[in-house]
């Protein structure tokens, strides 16, 4: 866990830290903010617009702290530092402790980070998942131990029924749509976009839509 204030202005060095550190907390001076934005990192580099969003929020003078959560093992947040496949309880405690004391929490992530948003969305006031993988038997996690895949499925079922959650997927990305259909339709809002690939967040970001979308969510939570 690192305080991001020591990392500001380091460019690529800071981005590498976002990809290799379990939790980076980026607080505004003057104590705890009203809102925490928790960014769940995907595999590899951090969420494309996370740093740009932070700068836009700061420029608007909004009272927001940022937290960047990463799974350095790239195991869908299912692995812990002791390699015991206790990642769910490890990251759940890590995030719960970090957001303690905030009035509101917004969580979002893309791809593997979106799956993590589903796993831990119950810790947030509002959670937004972009192109999540919800059933590990369909994709990259199919070779994980059975009990780990079962824990993943059980946690998503629990969190998706207790979180204020929305999911964004490409309408023509058939695997992403299939993953979305695994979620309870009466509890999770699925928003479809005219896109045929996996990373709908990058699609929205390339059209200048991501920062306004997240700013809207932040302003609603700060009302």
């Amino acid at each position: 866990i690192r305080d991001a204030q020591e990392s500001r202005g380091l460019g690529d060095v800071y981005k590498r830290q976002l990809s290799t550190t379990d939790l980076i907390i980026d607080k505004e001076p003057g104590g705890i903010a009203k809102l925490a934005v928790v960014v769940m990192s995907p595999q590899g580099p951090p969420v494309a617009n996370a740093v740009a969003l932070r700068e836009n929020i700061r420029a608007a003078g909004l009272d927001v702290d940022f937290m960047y959560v990463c799974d350095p093992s790239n195991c869908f947040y299912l692995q812990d530092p002791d390699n015991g496949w206790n990642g769910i309880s490890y990251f759940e405690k890590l995030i719960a402790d970090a957001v303690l004391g905030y009035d509101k929490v917004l969580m979002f992530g893309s791809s593997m980070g979106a799956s993590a948003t589903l796993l831990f969305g119950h810790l947030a006031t509002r959670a937004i998942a972009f192109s999540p993988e919800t059933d590990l038997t369909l994709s990259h996690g199919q070779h994980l131990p059975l009990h780990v895949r079962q824990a993943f499925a059980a946690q998503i079922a629990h969190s998706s029924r207790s979180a204020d959650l929305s999911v964004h997927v490409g309408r023509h990305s058939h695997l992403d749509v299939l993953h979305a259909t695994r979620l309870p339709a009466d509890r999770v809002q699925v928003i479809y976009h005219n896109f045929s690939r996996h990373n709908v967040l990058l699609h929205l970001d390339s059209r200048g839509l991501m920062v306004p979308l997240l700013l809207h969510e932040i302003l609603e939570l700060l009302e």
Side-chain angles (χ1 to χ4, degrees), residues 101-191:
Y102 286 91
D103 292 341
K104 301 287 180 65
V105 177
L106 173 66
M107 182 184 293
F108 77 95
S110 173
S111 191
M112 186 181 78
S115 299
T117 299
L118 298 180
L119 288 171
F120 309 114
H122 60 285
L123 300 174
T125 314
R126 180 94 173 92
I128 311 172
F130 297 89
S131 310
E133 293 167 76
T134 64
D135 184 345
L136 295 181
T137 63
L138 297 176
S139 52
H140 302 301
Q142 60 188 285
H143 301 300
L144 292 173
L146 176 60
H147 74 279
V148 176
R149 286 185 274 122
Q150 289 173 336
F152 178 89
Q155 180 71 6
I156 284 187
H158 161 70
S159 188
S160 62
R161 292 196 174 277
S162 57
D164 181 0
L165 178 66
S166 62
V167 169
H168 292 252
V169 296
R171 184 182 304 277
H172 307 295
S173 177
H174 301 299
L175 183 57
D176 285 351
V177 170
L178 183 59
H179 278 294
T181 63
R182 296 290 201 266
L183 297 167
D186 60 327
R187 294 293 303 165
V188 179
Q189 179 188 24
V190 180
I191 300 164

Side-chain angles (χ1 to χ4, degrees), residues 169-170 193-210:
V169 296
H193 300 272
N194 188 25
F195 188 58
S196 60
R197 299 179 189 173
H198 172 59
N199 200 331
V200 75
L201 186 150
L202 279 180
H203 166 72
L204 295 172
D205 195 49
S206 70
R207 284 156 176 75
L209 298 175
M210 270 305 303

Side-chain angles (χ1 to χ4, degrees), residues 38-57:
V38 180
V39 184
M40 306 301 298
S41 294
Q43 290 180 325
V47 172
N49 65 319
V51 176
L53 173 65
R54 181 194 65 177
E55 296 307 316
N56 277 275
I57 295 300

